[in-house]
Amino acid sequence: MSTTPPESKMPIFVNLQTNDGVVHTVDIRLAHQLGETICGIMRMEEGCYSFDIIPLPRINGEIMAFIIKWCTLVQDLEDNVMTRSKEIFLNLLKKDMAQPHFLLQLLKASDYLGMENFTAVGAKLLAEAINTCRNSEEICYRFNVDRD
Amino acid sequence: MAAEPIPQILRLNDDCLDEIFDRLQDLPTEVSLARTCQRLRHICLAKWRTSRAYEQLDLDKWRELLPNYEDLVYFLTQIRPHIKEMCVSSCLCALLKDLDEMHIAELPLVASFYYDPEDVDCYPSNRSIRKLAQLLPGLRKLRLTTPIDGRYLSHFQHLQELHLYEDQHKAYELQQEYLDEVCHKLHDLRVLDIRTYDMISKLQLGNCVQSLKNLSVLKLNLATLKPILPAVLQLPSLRQLVVLLDNEWHISPLVSPDSYDHKIREVCEFYEIMERKAKNIVGFAVDGYYMPLEPGWDEKLSIWTHRRLKRLAICSWTHSADYLERYSCMADLQLLCLRNWNHLSDDILVRFVELCPRLEHLDVSYCRDLTPKFLPRALSVLKRREPYKQKTGFGRSPPLLLYYDLSGFEDFVDKANLKSSPEYRGYIVFTADFPVGSERGLSFVDRGYQFEFDCPLNL
């Protein structure tokens, strides 16, 4: 496995490959925001970062692109982080005209990656959707749950 | 989010569903979610259980949280097998009727039931006690301080603790036959409190003391103890005996009422326990107001030979504090309670801190003669003994808990904010409360005395 010289001033990148073969190259600083799964793999290399590819078999390219976009926009937030993270999340969903099931896929992906902040935002949105339901019947209808 | 269908939520794993549950707005929403399907019901029930918020049944509070009756019944039905405690202040009869209507026949895991009604006229009937025994088959601890005759108490087959005492007037006490039943049938009984506050107790244990082999704590009136003291002291598991002096007592007709001192209480049982159990006594407490023993009363006790005291509470004493100094030879002392001493000095107290290295609780509430100078002196002793206690990585003994309510240095502690002082951190913790297990107020034990024994059979 190749290594970059520690004194080098070149920016360091990490390559993430999703299950559809797409490779996402991200700055090392951003990669650290992408959750414990990726951080754990990077740590295994003992701080010697490389240009080898990190596989993410449970995530597709579209989901990964969304997560990277979101992380890029929230990584420098300092005030009202939760509120603004949620706003950015919603804006991205609207902009991408994402379907409702896309939110569920995002939540599954963030759980897989171990991204607590992202999971919190996604779970909050789904909880708010449940909170608007007046009773069990509405929840079943809204979330396509078979009553038993 | 717009109110459009979000399909396939059940495709999320349990961790994700847990995260969503944590963000639901209130209990009615959680109940609605639980009522959708089996998987979500399991998620909700697991969260209700692990949150521990519903381990104690509080029907009044749950009625407020779930105003819809059907939701309340559903929730209660789901959480029923996991409820562990009940603390009831409303009418017991009404509560049992409500649970009946909700078809709640049994709460199998409830181990503790505490009944303290706000309405003083709400006494549980025998029928309610019987129903309660059916509702709580696994009950271990029962506190029931309203007047009852005791019928059906023996139906709590697994009962380990029975607390019937409160320091208030009671119209009547247990009937003897039902006390006998309790003692004979409840083989797991470990704690029995049958004290009666404001009359001479007529309860007798003569017929049943032999059945109390597992009893470790016995709290009773002196009148009940008198005829069976030797048998009580032979109980193999006994480790705590609390005696309440009766509020009334017999005065011999030959005694002149003008010269009879009403504060002289019967003390021969106290001395008898001191002698017979000297080698096992690891603690005793006396209320000096109701038992004003003469100075030097303890000079010739056998406990000096054994020196095993770990807990000592002598409260409301009017003697000179010099008489206290002899107890500083008890090097194993862990708790020292000297509430409401008239003449307690800083010097005597510092001696205890110096000579009792295991001291963890020092209760000087109401000791007005103490001065703020005691505090730096005590701190200096503790720091000499363990100079590195405040540094991380060093093995630490617990700090000295100093109970200082209405003591001579109370104002100083509060004004100098010593509770947060870095100088005292790790060495002394100041608290305006009272030690756990003691009565609140002027005495550690109220209107009587208490002994603690080192019981070889006590596991």
Side-chain angles (χ1 to χ4, degrees), chain A residues 104 111 131 136 142 147-148, chain B residues 2 4 6-7 13 35 38:
Chain A
L104 296 181
D111 181 65
N131 289 337
S136 308
R142 182 102 191 263
R147 196 110 190 234
D148 60 24
Chain B
E4 48 192 286
I6 306 176
N13 62 23
R35 294 180 86 162
Q38 191 178 49

Side-chain angles (χ1 to χ4, degrees), chain A residues 123-139:
Chain A
K124 182 97 176 93
L125 285 172
L126 282 169
E128 282 172 0
I130 296 174
N131 289 337
T132 60
C133 300
R134 285 173 297 181
N135 50 43
S136 308
E137 285 74 22
E138 269 194 42
I139 295 175

Side-chain angles (χ1 to χ4, degrees), chain B residues 154-366:
Chain B
S154 60
H155 285 214
F156 294 97
Q157 292 177 6
H158 301 287
L159 205 63
Q160 293 177 359
E161 295 188 27
L162 179 58
H163 301 263
L164 302 173
Y165 171 70
E166 196 167 22
D167 56 353
Q168 285 182 19
H169 168 74
K170 227 188 237 190
Y172 51 88
E173 60 179 355
L174 291 186
Q175 284 191 21
Q176 185 62 47
E177 63 174 301
Y178 300 131
L179 175 60
D180 289 350
E181 248 180 44
V182 161
C183 295
H184 288 311
K185 291 188 177 176
L186 300 185
H187 304 296
D188 293 337
L189 205 59
R190 276 151 179 69
V191 177
L192 180 61
D193 186 351
I194 52 170
R195 291 174 290 175
T196 302
Y197 183 69
D198 59 351
M199 51 178 137
I200 300 182
S201 177
K202 296 185 177 46
L203 292 176
Q204 300 291 316
L205 286 174
N207 288 339
C208 42
V209 67
Q210 296 304 323
S211 302
L212 299 173
K213 290 203 176 359
N214 291 325
L215 204 68
S216 63
V217 177
L218 178 59
K219 303 185 185 183
L220 72 181
N221 285 53
L222 181 59
T224 309
L225 177 67
K226 271 174 170 299
I228 51 152
L229 177 58
V232 164
L233 295 183
Q234 282 180 7
L235 286 173
S237 303
L238 192 70
R239 61 175 175 78
Q240 187 184 75
L241 178 64
V242 180
V243 180
L244 179 70
L245 301 173
D246 299 90
N247 206 30
E248 300 167 13
W249 58 98
H250 297 295
I251 302 177
S252 159
L254 295 175
V255 170
S256 162
D258 294 327
S259 60
Y260 191 85
D261 186 341
H262 70 282
K263 284 183 70 182
I264 303 285
R265 297 299 183 117
E266 294 169 281
V267 297
C268 60
E269 289 78 18
F270 175 76
Y271 280 113
E272 191 174 340
I273 298 169
M274 275 286 190
E275 282 312 302
R276 291 168 77 117
K277 296 288 278 185
K279 69 174 180 197
N280 298 114
I281 291 173
V282 293
F284 77 87
V286 180
D287 182 351
Y289 180 79
Y290 288 95
M291 270 185 50
L293 299 167
E294 292 295 319
W297 65 273
D298 49 3
E299 198 177 330
K300 295 191 175 127
L301 295 178
S302 299
I303 58 170
W304 303 118
T305 312
H306 302 287
R307 296 194 184 188
R308 301 192 66 200
L309 276 188
K310 291 181 183 171
R311 291 160 64 87
L312 174 65
I314 309 182
C315 303
S316 297
W317 226 242
T318 55
H319 304 168
S320 160
D322 294 339
Y323 287 98
L324 192 57
E325 195 164 354
R326 60 173 55 119
Y327 288 96
S328 60
C329 71
M330 301 287 182
D332 288 337
L333 212 54
Q334 293 170 7
L335 179 143
L336 178 61
C337 176
L338 303 169
R339 282 184 224 168
N340 200 32
W341 268 70
N342 282 348
H343 307 296
L344 189 61
S345 68
D346 292 355
D347 289 339
I348 296 287
L349 215 52
V350 169
R351 275 193 73 67
F352 274 101
V353 177
E354 280 170 346
L355 297 175
C356 302
R358 293 187 178 81
L359 201 60
E360 291 177 27
H361 302 266
L362 181 56
D363 184 354
V364 292
S365 310
Y366 311 105

